[in-house]
Amino acid sequence: TKLILLDSLLQEIPMGNNQTQGEAQSEGTELLREFNDYKNGKKRLSKADFSKRIKSDCEKQNRSSSLEEEKLKELSPEKDVVEFKDFLKWKISIGSEKSELPKLLAELFNEVDDGDGFLTPEELMKIEKGVSVVISREEAEEIIATWDSNGDGKMDLGDYIEYKTATSRMSLR
């Protein structure tokens, strides 16, 4: 089912620089609001509080919370606090609705981007490390060159989303 999900995402995602920075930031703001809602006015979100909220939300929807709780445990076993990046990784790992994946990727992009709308090799290395993937500078440069849709030598948000969805689809085969 994840393969079908990613195939349908590829058809919905604008390729190239069709999404403005403002649209991407708006989508990211929605996720930040959801994260802040989980924090419930506190400065930090503990794993224990997050787990309780997951159970409560799933009970309200009459469904099991086992997948969400298992993914939360896998997230960062050594940490007791859930940070925003952890929350985004968790959302991706539970297979959020197909329309949410581009939003999640946009938020990761915007969190690392220095504001110019493009990822440098260093920024790509940082964003990948944020989702537990370690790549070298040479690999980052190669990824940017491969997925640069307009040949400008830069990776914009559309290029990044295309890269992540395509490589995620390939790794599921």
Side-chain angles (χ1 to χ4, degrees):
T1 58
K2 284 193 176 191
L3 183 57
I4 294 167
L5 165 76
L6 289 170
D7 279 336
S8 62
L9 268 174
L10 284 173
Q11 295 172 11
E12 292 180 12
I13 295 170
M15 299 304 168
N17 199 12
N18 294 335
Q19 184 176 29
T20 67
Q21 190 77 11
E23 288 170 331
Q25 287 173 342
S26 173
E27 291 172 349
T29 302
E30 185 180 314
L31 290 163
L32 187 56
R33 266 194 291 264
E34 183 180 353
F35 176 68
N36 286 331
D37 184 49
Y38 275 106
K39 288 189 341 186
N40 199 24
K42 297 180 181 176
K43 286 187 177 185
R44 293 187 181 155
L45 176 61
S46 72
K47 271 192 176 174
D49 286 344
F50 192 37
S51 180
K52 287 178 194 172
R53 180 70 185 268
I54 291 168
K55 285 180 189 175
S56 172
D57 289 351
C58 289
E59 284 173 8
K60 289 176 187 172
Q61 297 171 7
N62 285 328
R63 62 182 180 83
S64 170
S65 61
S66 57
L67 169 69
E68 286 95 335
E69 290 184 82
E70 184 61 35
K71 293 298 181 181
L72 178 59
K73 288 178 189 171
E74 292 172 8
L75 194 58
S76 298
E78 70 285 352
K79 291 171 67 177
D80 293 329
V81 175
V82 178
E83 296 174 9
F84 186 57
K85 278 187 179 181
D86 300 324
F87 173 74
L88 293 174
K89 287 194 287 188
W90 175 78
K91 291 283 283 187
I92 290 170
S93 74
I94 62 167
S96 296
E97 296 176 29
K98 66 181 181 179
S99 62
E100 285 191 28
L101 187 57
K103 292 177 186 177
L104 295 169
L105 293 173
E107 183 58 35
L108 287 171
F109 182 98
N110 289 325
E111 190 161 304
V112 171
D113 177 39
D114 63 8
D116 65 359
F118 302 101
L119 292 180
T120 63
E122 292 78 15
E123 289 170 333
L124 182 58
M125 291 166 57
K126 185 176 179 182
I127 200 170
E128 290 294 294
K129 186 177 180 185
V131 292
S132 303
V133 176
V134 177
I135 60 172
S136 68
R137 179 176 173 78
E138 293 76 25
E139 290 169 317
E141 289 171 350
E142 186 176 317
I143 291 167
I144 290 171
T146 301
W147 294 96
D148 171 22
S149 62
N150 63 4
D152 65 0
K154 300 175 182 178
M155 179 175 267
D156 62 25
L157 178 60
D159 296 336
Y160 175 68
I161 291 173
E162 182 178 2
Y163 154 64
K164 291 305 286 184
T165 54
T167 55
S168 295
R169 191 176 87 224
M170 288 187 287
S171 68
L172 294 171
R173 290 192 171 142

